[in-house]
Amino acid sequence: QVQLVESGGGLVQAGGSLRLSCQASGRTSSTSHMGWFRQPPGKEREFVTSIEWTSGATFYKDSVKGRFTISRDKAKNTVYLQMNSLVPEDTAVYYCASRNYGTGRYEYWGQGTQVTVSS
């Protein structure tokens, strides 16, 4: 089992920035990637970005490229999401998730943190 705890959400004006954190604990050796997903109001949850834990290779949803940056601190078992130039369409509950080496699926999820961008 992997436990994930997010922090850093809040209310920000359009054009502003926020930084989310997600600390992992437990059986983190089984993690191949850490990802950030979001669920906008009334919509399905969607992929935002991920980072391969060992190599640091990153992947982004097209609409956040150039604005969001994912990073990790291996010593702290923590992944970060720096979000700049926020727009109202970024409003969502943001979740971090852990992808399992064996299954290739995101099996463990945090509780979510609300990000609200006002116009």
Side-chain angles (χ1 to χ4, degrees), residues 34-37 46-51 58-61 64 68-70 80-81 106:
M34 291 292 293
W36 287 98
F37 293 74
E46 61 183 14
F47 170 83
V48 177
T49 180
S50 66
I51 186 165
T58 58
F59 310 88
Y60 293 94
K61 175 182 175 66
V64 307
F68 289 13
T69 303
I70 188 171
Y80 304 97
L81 180 62
Y106 285 95

Side-chain angles (χ1 to χ4, degrees), residues 5-47:
V5 178
E6 301 116 336
S7 60
L11 173 64
V12 64
Q13 288 189 330
S17 298
L18 280 174
R19 187 193 197 208
L20 306 184
S21 300
C22 173
Q23 181 161 32
S25 61
R27 197 171 172 228
T28 57
S29 60
S30 65
T31 297
S32 64
H33 296 71
M34 291 292 293
W36 287 98
F37 293 74
R38 68 187 182 188
Q39 186 165 16
K43 296 184 179 181
E44 298 288 317
R45 187 165 57 193
E46 61 183 14
F47 170 83

